[in-house]
Amino acid sequence: MNLKIYLALMPLLITACGGNDDAGKTTPMSSLPVNSALVSVSQVVGVGKIEPENEITSLAASTGGVVKEIYKNDGDSVKKDEPVVRLDDELELIRASQLRSQFNAQKSQLDIEKLNLQDAEARLANKGRL
């Protein structure tokens, strides 16, 4: 009789002591479902890939930056010289303004130097007449 009880309890005991391999593991945050209505996204960072349909095409931006507007979606066709995205150009506009200011300052300095040279030549000419 005891043997029958032991034989009946052995599978239960083995199953109870077996444990679960997933017990100590946590689920990564990226695989959890997210309700988009409750999450506000302020910035998305990622790398994109554009694949040509027929032949290899050279495609590049002269500078990197933050995408401000997206003009094309997945599966849209793109013609030559047609923009795909627009980058935020605020920093480039500031740099251009600074360079314009530096150019104007150097041009003004050159004009001052020319006037000083003309004045010095005029003084030398006046001394020679005396």
Side-chain angles (χ1 to χ4, degrees), residues 58-116:
S58 176
L59 179 68
S62 57
T63 61
V66 176
V67 175
K68 193 167 188 174
E69 290 182 65
I70 300 174
Y71 299 118
K72 297 292 177 179
N73 295 314
D74 269 352
D76 290 350
S77 62
V78 179
K79 296 177 183 172
K80 183 179 179 182
D81 296 328
E82 189 175 14
V84 177
V85 296
R86 183 168 77 97
L87 300 179
D88 185 8
D89 58 354
E90 185 176 346
L91 185 59
E92 282 74 21
L93 292 174
I94 292 170
R95 287 181 184 159
S97 176
Q98 287 176 338
L99 289 173
R100 215 174 285 114
S101 296
Q102 287 176 353
F103 172 77
N104 289 333
Q106 289 176 353
K107 186 177 176 185
S108 297
Q109 186 63 37
L110 180 63
D111 291 343
I112 290 170
E113 294 297 329
K114 283 181 182 178
L115 290 173
N116 286 338

Side-chain angles (χ1 to χ4, degrees), residues 7-83:
L7 289 175
L9 290 177
M10 278 307 256
L12 293 174
L13 184 62
I14 291 172
T15 306
C17 294
N20 187 354
D21 288 344
D22 295 336
K25 295 182 182 177
T26 59
T27 305
M29 292 297 285
S30 63
S31 67
L32 294 176
V34 176
N35 184 351
S36 61
L38 302 176
V39 177
S40 64
V41 177
S42 62
Q43 183 177 10
V44 176
V45 178
V47 176
K49 178 173 80 170
I50 297 177
E51 296 176 358
E53 187 173 299
N54 297 328
E55 60 185 55
I56 295 176
T57 305
S58 176
L59 179 68
S62 57
T63 61
V66 176
V67 175
K68 193 167 188 174
E69 290 182 65
I70 300 174
Y71 299 118
K72 297 292 177 179
N73 295 314
D74 269 352
D76 290 350
S77 62
V78 179
K79 296 177 183 172
K80 183 179 179 182
D81 296 328
E82 189 175 14

